[in-house]
Amino acid sequence: MRLVTHNMMSSNIKGVANGFPLLIEAAQVVEKEVDFNADFLKNIFARIEWKALVEASKTMGYSELLDNVESSMLDSEEFLRKFHHALLEIHLEEGALVCPETGRKFPITKGIPNMLLHEDECTVFVLTGHDLYHSCGTPGVLKALSIAVY
Amino acid sequence: MLPPASVPQLMKLKMKLKQLEGLLGSVQQFENPKIEFEQYPTGPHIASRLLFTAENSFGDVRDKVVADFGCGCGTLGLAAGLLGAEHVIGLDIDAESIEIASSNAEELELDMDFVQCDISKLRLSDQVIDTVVMNPPFGTRKKGADMDFLSMALKVASRAVYSLHKTTTRDHIKKTALRENNASSAEVLCELRFDVPQLYKFHKKREVDVAVDLWRFVPKDKQGKQL
């Protein structure tokens, strides 16, 4: 998982007011080269949460990004190269994303985060026919005598 | 005789539709499709046309951030990558599908991120993703699944959402998209026939044709103005 993806994601647990950014536990980080595209970087700069990117890349072992940046820095190729590297070339292969409010860990295996919620982290049970489906995660079938809705 | 072009070379030359369809034809599909998720492969014919139109008619793919909602084995996301998307993310609820999609991406030498999640529960930024492409569940197993997908897609996309829905739901989709889901426009680009092969035991016929609309939705600008 690249940091551009991390930059989009929030904790989706019920009751969490601000689940962004997810904290990172990095057990294994891998670098994969990607073609440099200056136009793309200049375009996406304004849409990225910069602070989250800086913190995340530090956790992954890359400390070249400055905390304070302005758009004039986009004229510097050196800056763009560092931005490129942090955003697109460092992958979190094994570890976890952590909800900043609850501390709940979303595991990452082979670069893929599992954001599926447990029953108590969702909001509603949905009744379909005579089966109960959780409205979150994988649809388990509960043949229950009493129905809980919250 | 010239050696066959490698995938990266084809991408630089601006791939032709036939080449795209050919490459997608080699993509591995579901081994044990799960009916509760309405897992059906998106065939190379539909996938190639969807992405080709998105890029050549609207410029929604090359150098863009593209998300494939309910990616399954990754066909749409891979097609986006082959047409020059800068970053592609595939999202799906099923770990097995993501594994297949991951290995497909490797085969085609494409970088793609994957996230295992429930689309209806997601909290995603509405700034970063340009285009959403999807072949969502039709809602035959989990009612309203198609609208959940559409609603989430319109929340996160900045440029456009491309989606496939049954032709029989056309009016409902248009009304809901415009009134409730923040779409500034909702157009059917073309009608396709989706071959549903006999994947599941309950299918009586060997093959069934479902009439499907290829939609392009444009989200309202996040400040509420029309794009």
Side-chain angles (χ1 to χ4, degrees):
Chain A
M1 186 201 65
R2 294 189 175 87
L3 291 184
V4 60
T5 303
H6 167 261
N7 207 265
M8 293 180 224
M9 292 167 64
S10 284
S11 166
N12 49 352
I13 298 172
K14 86 172 177 201
V16 166
N18 183 14
F20 181 88
L22 291 156
L23 305 167
I24 290 181
E25 273 182 16
Q28 191 196 357
V29 175
V30 165
E31 286 189 15
K32 296 183 203 170
E33 217 180 289
V34 168
D35 284 345
F36 178 72
N37 184 343
D39 287 332
F40 170 78
L41 294 164
K42 289 178 189 177
N43 181 275
I44 204 165
F45 175 74
R47 294 146 61 191
I48 288 287
E49 294 292 337
W50 187 257
K51 198 156 165 273
L53 179 65
V54 176
E55 287 311 309
S57 54
K58 278 192 192 143
T59 317
M60 309 255 283
Y62 185 68
S63 312
E64 298 289 310
L65 293 183
L66 299 171
D67 290 318
N68 298 313
V69 290
E70 350 164 298
S71 46
S72 57
M73 291 164 119
L74 293 171
D75 294 325
S76 148
E77 179 163 326
E78 196 193 327
F79 170 78
L80 286 177
R81 293 255 168 206
K82 290 179 183 172
F83 180 25
H84 168 80
H85 186 71
L87 194 70
L88 297 171
E89 293 188 321
I90 42 183
H91 289 255
L92 186 51
E93 281 293 303
E94 303 286 330
L97 297 175
V98 184
C99 174
E101 280 187 22
T102 65
R104 190 318 205 173
K105 296 187 192 188
F106 297 96
I108 297 190
T109 359
K110 295 189 207 167
I112 301 161
N114 182 350
M115 305 302 294
L116 291 177
L117 299 174
H118 303 136
E119 303 154 27
D120 56 338
E121 294 169 325
C122 305
T123 31
V124 155
F125 286 101
V126 175
L127 184 65
T128 312
H130 62 277
D131 298 328
L132 267 179
Y133 285 87
H134 294 166
S135 69
C136 65
T138 53
V141 175
L142 298 176
K143 291 195 166 40
L145 293 173
S146 61
I147 301 162
V149 176
Y150 48 84
Chain B
M1 238 185 53
L2 289 171
S6 67
V7 173
Q9 281 176 327
L10 275 175
M11 281 165 65
K12 289 211 165 78
L13 293 171
K14 272 188 116 188
M15 194 172 297
K16 296 204 173 75
L17 178 59
K18 276 256 165 276
Q19 286 164 331
L20 179 61
E21 191 174 343
L23 283 167
L24 293 176
S26 70
V27 151
Q28 195 198 338
Q29 291 299 343
F30 300 107
E31 279 160 18
N32 297 303
K34 300 183 177 88
I35 185 59
E36 68 268 30
F37 298 141
E38 285 191 55
Q39 290 182 339
Y40 296 97
T42 305
H45 181 88
I46 288 189
S48 57
R49 274 148 188 81
L50 191 157
L51 271 303
F52 210 73
T53 307
E55 173 50 24
N56 287 330
S57 300
F58 300 101
D60 284 332
V61 181
R62 182 164 284 275
D63 296 336
K64 304 292 184 294
V65 177
V66 177
D68 180 353
F69 277 16
C71 65
C73 301
T75 314
L76 292 176
L78 295 167
L82 290 170
L83 289 180
E86 180 69 26
H87 181 64
V88 184
I89 315 124
L91 298 98
D92 202 278
I93 202 170
D94 180 39
E96 271 180 59
S97 308
I98 292 182
E99 263 204 64
I100 298 176
S102 210
S103 110
N104 281 331
E106 233 183 276
E107 277 294 309
L108 290 171
E109 297 174 59
L110 289 170
D111 290 312
M112 212 169 135
D113 275 356
F114 294 97
V115 177
Q116 185 183 7
C117 61
D118 181 336
I119 296 283
S120 63
K121 297 285 160 313
L122 266 189
R123 276 192 216 167
L124 272 185
S125 159
D126 60 358
Q127 312 247 62
V128 185
I129 295 170
D130 291 302
T131 303
V132 171
V133 293
M134 60 189 193
N135 181 10
F138 287 155
T140 57
R141 309 308 292 189
K142 184 186 171 205
K143 196 161 186 273
D146 53 347
M147 299 317 292
D148 281 344
F149 270 67
L150 183 56
S151 168
M152 185 56 70
L154 282 165
K155 273 196 194 124
V156 307
S158 303
R159 289 181 67 98
V161 174
Y162 292 84
S163 185
L164 295 158
H165 298 272
K166 286 196 289 190
T167 303
T168 49
T169 59
R170 187 181 291 182
D171 291 335
H172 172 65
I173 299 260
K174 184 148 191 162
K175 230 191 304 181
T176 313
L178 293 171
R179 277 201 213 147
E180 293 173 29
N181 295 142
N182 196 48
S184 68
S185 77
E187 299 305 325
V188 174
L189 298 180
C190 64
E191 193 182 309
L192 298 157
R193 305 210 76 82
F194 191 52
D195 290 327
V196 180
Q198 189 184 32
L199 285 179
Y200 299 111
K201 282 215 179 83
F202 68 86
H203 284 176
K204 293 199 179 71
K205 300 189 191 151
R206 214 163 57 82
E207 209 178 81
V208 150
D209 249 345
V210 179
V212 156
D213 292 331
L214 168 55
W215 286 89
R216 180 174 190 264
F217 303 93
V218 177
K220 287 204 183 97
D221 181 43
K222 302 308 169 187
Q223 277 78 53
K225 291 173 284 196
Q226 304 235 333
L227 272 180

